[in-house]
Structures are given as structure tokens and as C-alpha cells.
């Protein structure tokens, strides 16, 4: 149960935060100052205010940034979730990090990753035949913007340049109807849907993977009864749920979308002779 003292502190912090946001809205750059005359409670309120808003904290004529660790933590979360295609969470973490960061290197890195976020999201979610035509300009803009990130080392800038070039190469393969690359894009979409608990969508992406690689899957299914059953159940489920077929009262029991994705990954490894998930 919250004590009265804690309630008082949190109310004061909330009021201070609203004041700082109001000053920022008016293009001011507020600083929180702890003076020698402040009580312990007032000092705590100001410290929490600085941490939660990212405003600099002035203490004994020295400027401190209590929120910098939070900014780094949010940035790391943003990178981690971006690497697993969790675009909503990633964008939220980068926004939180940008609101708190004061270090110039970190600020530039966050801004760059916001751009990389847009590129990766485009590569995964844009229709394969339209990606270069509709998003090609974005690739050029991000590449050209690398020059303005002068606080990042040349090695780091070169690393991102190669990453962007590699992603553009993937976009070109999508347009060229490269079967493995298009399958990987569908697999990524399935993973995103599973992360969002959109199980029908996940099953639809898996079914699209099957249709794209129908010959290879059917060939394996000829001698693999489990896969054969799974494919038939998946097809029926998708057709019924999307209205292609009339309602079937007793749909066959089928594996969860998570299990189906694992089954597909194992067979895609064989079909394309690569560590498909990696």
C-alpha cells in the first residue's frame, strides 16, 4: 500500500513533469536545479522529474543527465525488437530513447535506427513487385543521410552502409521473383503475425509459403503423412476462414500456427539447403 509520503512525492513529480512539457512546447529547454536549501523530499522530486523527462539536472554547478541510462536501455530494446521484426515495439522504444537521450552520439544512433526501422519494415511488409519502385527513394535517402551522422566512427558508418546495400539487394531479389527471398519475406510476416497473436494471418502466410513452393512441399508430403495431413488441414482452415469455402461444421484438428511454422521451417531448410530461420 502506498504511503502518504510517496503519494506526495508522485503528485509533485507529475506537476513538475507537466510544467517541463509545457516549457518545451513553448520551445524552451528546461533545466531542473537542486539547491542547497531544498529538503530531502524536494531533492527526490527533482531527481525523479529529471529522470522521467530527460531534462538536465543542475547540482552544485555541475550538469547531470540521470535519464541517460534509461535512454540507452530503451535504445537497446529498440534494436533487439527491430531484429525480430517487432516494428510497433521497436518504434516505441526508439521514441522513448530519443525523448531521454542527451549524449550526441546516442542521439545520432537513435535517429539512424529510426531510418533503418523504416527500411526494414518496408522490406518485410511491402508487396514484392512494388518494393524497389515505391521504396527505392527511401534507400537512397537513408544512404545519403549517413554523412550527417558525424559523431559515429567511419567503421560504424561503413557497417550501416553495407547493411543498407544488403537490404536493397534483398529488395531487388524480391522484384526478380527469387523464390527463396520471397519465401523468407512471407516467413517474416508470419513471425510478426504470431508476435501480434494474429493467428489467422499467420496461417495465411504459411499457406502462401506452401503455394509458392507447392511442388517441393507436395513431393516431401508424398512420403511424409504428417506433413500431408498438416497441409490439407491448413488449406481447408484458410479456405473456410477466408470465405473461399462454405462453413464446415467439424474442421479437422490441426497444429497451432506456432507448431506449423516450426514444421515449415524444418522442411524449408531441406528445400533451400540453408539454415532457413537464421
Amino acid at each position: 500500500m502506498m504511503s502518504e509520503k510517496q503519494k506526495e512525492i508522485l503528485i509533485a513529480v507529475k506537476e513538475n513533469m507537466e510544467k517541463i512539457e509545457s516549457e518545451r512546447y513553448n520551445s524552451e529547454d528546461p533545466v531542473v536545479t537542486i539547491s542547497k536549501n531544498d529538503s530531502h523530499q524536494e531533492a527526490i522530486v527533482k531527481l525523479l522529474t529529471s529522470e522521467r523527462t530527460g531534462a538536465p539536472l543542475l547540482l552544485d554547478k555541475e550538469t547531470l543527465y540521470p535519464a541517460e541510462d534509461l535512454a540507452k536501455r530503451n535504445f537497446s530494446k529498440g534494436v533487439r525488437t527491430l531484429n525480430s521484426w517487432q516494428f510497433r515495439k521497436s518504434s516505441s522504444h526508439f521514441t522513448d530513447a530519443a525523448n531521454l537521450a542527451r549524449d550526441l552520439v546516442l542521439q545520432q544512433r537513435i535517429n539512424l535506427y529510426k531510418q533503418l526501422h523504416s527500411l526494414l519494415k518496408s522490406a518485410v511488409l511491402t508487396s514484392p513487385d512494388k518494393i524497389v519502385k515505391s521504396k527505392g527513394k527511401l534507400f537512397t535517402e537513408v544512404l545519403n543521410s549517413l554523412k550527417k551522422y558525424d559523431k559515429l566512427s567511419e567503421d560504424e558508418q561503413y557497417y550501416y552502409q553495407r547493411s543498407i546495400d544488403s537490404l536493397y539487394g534483398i529488395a531487388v531479389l524480391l522484384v526478380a521473383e527469387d523464390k527463396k527471398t520471397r519465401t523468407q519475406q512471407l516467413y517474416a510476416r508470419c513471425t510478426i503475425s504470431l508476435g501480434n497473436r494474429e493467428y489467422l494471418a499467420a496461417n495465411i502466410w504459411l499457406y502462401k509459403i506452401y503455394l509458392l513452393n507447392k511442388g517441393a512441399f507436395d513431393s516431401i508430403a508424398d512420403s511424409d503423412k504428417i506433413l500431408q495431413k498438416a497441409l490439407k488441414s491448413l488449406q481447408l482452415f484458410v479456405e473456410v476462414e477466408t470465405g473461399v469455402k462454405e462453413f464446415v461444421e467439424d474442421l479437422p484438428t490441426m497444429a497451432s500456427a506456432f507448431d506449423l511454422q516450426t514444421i515449415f521451417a524444418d522442411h524449408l531448410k531441406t528445400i533451400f539447403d540453408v539454415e532457413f530461420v537464421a
Side-chain angles (χ1 to χ4, degrees):
M1 188 174 179
M2 191 181 299
S3 68
E4 289 301 318
K5 179 72 69 177
Q6 185 172 352
K7 287 180 182 178
E8 289 176 13
I9 289 173
L10 293 179
I11 290 171
V13 170
K14 185 174 181 292
E15 291 172 351
N16 282 2
M17 290 174 63
E18 290 173 351
K19 181 180 177 183
I20 285 176
E21 292 306 319
S22 175
E23 290 174 357
R24 284 175 171 165
Y25 182 78
N26 293 315
S27 302
E28 298 177 33
D29 191 14
V31 176
V32 179
T33 303
I34 295 180
S35 69
K36 295 179 180 178
N37 297 325
D38 286 335
S39 65
H40 288 163
Q41 183 167 324
E42 289 170 332
I44 291 171
V45 167
K46 290 180 177 181
L47 176 61
L48 289 174
T49 300
S50 173
E51 182 183 62
R52 295 184 183 185
T53 61
L57 182 70
L58 190 62
L59 177 65
D60 295 333
K61 297 182 180 180
E62 184 176 354
T63 302
L64 308 176
Y65 301 101
E68 202 65 27
D69 282 349
L70 290 176
K72 290 178 181 177
R73 198 177 311 155
N74 277 305
F75 174 69
S76 295
K77 288 180 180 178
V79 173
R80 189 166 60 252
T81 50
L82 180 60
N83 285 337
S84 56
W85 311 310
Q86 299 176 59
F87 296 118
R88 294 175 193 169
K89 288 184 179 180
S90 178
S91 179
S92 177
H93 289 314
F94 288 143
T95 297
D96 289 343
N99 289 337
L100 297 173
R102 307 294 295 191
D103 177 75
L104 294 179
V105 176
L106 181 58
Q107 286 179 349
Q108 289 194 358
R109 202 168 281 143
I110 293 168
N111 287 334
L112 174 56
Y113 262 84
K114 283 185 173 182
Q115 291 181 292
L116 296 176
H117 173 280
S118 296
L119 279 187
L120 185 57
K121 185 177 180 180
S122 297
V124 173
L125 300 182
T126 303
S127 177
D129 55 326
K130 296 179 180 177
I131 184 168
V132 171
K133 186 175 181 180
S134 65
K135 302 297 180 181
K137 186 178 178 181
L138 181 59
F139 281 90
T140 303
E141 288 175 354
V142 179
L143 269 176
N144 291 338
S145 73
L146 284 176
K147 302 168 187 174
K148 76 179 183 182
Y149 296 117
D150 56 337
K151 300 299 180 183
L152 306 182
S153 69
E154 289 185 7
D155 286 344
E156 187 171 358
Q157 289 187 45
Y158 180 61
Y159 168 80
Y160 293 124
Q161 179 184 325
R162 286 186 297 133
S163 298
I164 295 166
D165 288 339
S166 175
L167 197 56
Y168 186 77
I170 291 172
V172 170
L173 288 173
L174 287 169
V175 175
E177 299 185 12
D178 179 76
K179 191 172 287 189
K180 183 182 75 172
T181 307
R182 287 201 170 193
T183 301
Q184 288 173 325
Q185 188 194 52
L186 291 169
Y187 189 91
R189 291 180 178 183
C190 176
T191 301
I192 294 168
S193 295
L194 287 173
N196 294 332
R197 299 182 181 181
E198 299 164 351
Y199 302 122
L200 174 58
N203 280 317
I204 290 174
W205 298 129
L206 289 172
Y207 186 55
K208 283 179 172 285
I209 289 175
Y210 164 64
L211 293 178
L212 186 60
N213 302 279
K214 190 174 187 303
F217 270 105
D218 285 348
S219 178
I220 297 172
D222 284 340
S223 56
D224 187 332
K225 299 304 179 184
I226 294 177
L227 177 61
Q228 189 178 100
K229 181 181 178 182
L231 292 175
K232 286 182 178 179
S233 298
L234 176 62
Q235 179 176 347
L236 180 59
F237 174 81
V238 170
E239 288 177 345
V240 170
E241 289 296 322
T242 56
V244 174
K245 269 192 176 179
E246 291 186 8
F247 178 73
V248 176
E249 187 171 344
D250 293 318
L251 280 172
T253 302
M254 60 182 285
S256 70
F258 288 101
D259 291 338
L260 272 178
Q261 189 192 41
T262 301
I263 292 170
F264 269 55
D266 289 341
H267 291 300
L268 289 169
K269 177 180 176 182
T270 302
I271 292 169
F272 292 107
D273 193 27
V274 294
E275 289 294 336
F276 193 81
V277 176

